[in-house]
Amino acid sequence: MAWDEWEQLKTDAEARRSTQMQINHVAPTFGDLKVKNTDLEKIGKEAHSLFEHLGREGKVAHSSSDSAASNLKEQGFDLAAGLQHVSNRWEKQLGSLLDACAQISNHLHKTQSIHGDDEDYIRRTMSSIDTLDQGFDERVGKAGNPNPAYYGKPSEKKDD
């Protein structure tokens, strides 16, 4: 009886194996993620523009609310403390937002530079691999002639 159970378990396992993920193929994709340097540049410029605009306008709003809070305090209004609290929070939040914009702009600029260097490295490496392949490929050039990738191109000799 135990042997029959074992055989049944093996059969069930084999049936499940056919429905498991197979590694010998790639699932269809909807295209590669492609980002062009112009796209990164536009996003970086927008982040930098936002940084500059927020820096100018946000500081004006902060100084206005600070002076209003100070004026209200001089006049004895209890509202001054609340407005000063709002002004302080504004300054902290503005600083955080300015830091984030600067970080985005700087990161995209650095990413653009790094990926450009990577592309150049890959292009040079692939180019040298092609040259190396030609050196080992006997099909380069006409049969019976020396391989020009290895021996160089034959020099032209002129009759004197």
Side-chain angles (χ1 to χ4, degrees):
M1 182 94 161
W3 187 255
D4 292 336
E5 277 184 84
W6 174 249
E7 289 299 322
Q8 183 61 42
L9 289 172
K10 286 182 3 182
T11 304
D12 292 346
E14 188 62 36
R16 280 194 309 270
R17 182 180 301 184
S18 65
T19 61
Q20 292 176 346
M21 181 175 67
Q22 295 180 0
I23 302 177
N24 63 351
H25 74 282
V26 176
T29 60
F30 298 104
D32 295 331
L33 174 63
K34 292 183 182 180
V35 179
K36 298 179 181 173
N37 281 343
T38 55
D39 297 334
L40 294 176
E41 189 176 337
K42 286 178 187 176
I43 294 168
K45 282 182 179 179
E46 286 298 320
H48 184 72
S49 175
L50 182 58
F51 173 82
E52 289 179 340
H53 183 71
L54 278 173
R56 281 190 311 271
E57 303 299 324
K59 289 177 183 174
V60 168
H62 171 67
S63 65
S64 297
S65 59
D66 253 1
S67 63
S70 175
N71 193 354
L72 287 172
K73 186 176 182 180
E74 288 174 8
Q75 295 180 32
F77 286 97
D78 292 337
L79 182 61
L83 186 56
Q84 187 61 54
H85 175 75
V86 169
S87 178
N88 292 342
R89 292 290 295 163
W90 175 267
E91 184 179 27
K92 282 185 176 183
Q93 295 299 322
L94 179 63
S96 295
L97 191 53
L98 288 172
D99 287 347
C101 288
Q103 189 173 11
I104 290 168
S105 178
N106 293 339
H107 178 72
L108 289 173
H109 180 71
K110 185 69 175 172
T111 299
Q112 187 178 13
S113 173
I114 288 171
H115 288 300
D117 292 345
D118 289 347
E119 288 292 325
D120 289 342
Y121 173 76
I122 291 168
R123 194 175 298 111
R124 286 190 317 268
T125 302
M126 295 305 289
S127 174
S128 65
I129 289 172
D130 287 344
T131 303
L132 183 63
D133 282 348
Q134 287 177 359
F136 289 105
D137 190 352
E138 295 175 6
R139 294 171 294 174
V140 174
K142 293 182 180 178
N145 292 336
N147 187 333
Y150 181 73
Y151 295 104
K153 293 185 179 179
S155 61
E156 295 179 12
K157 295 183 180 179
K158 295 183 180 180
D159 294 335
D160 293 28

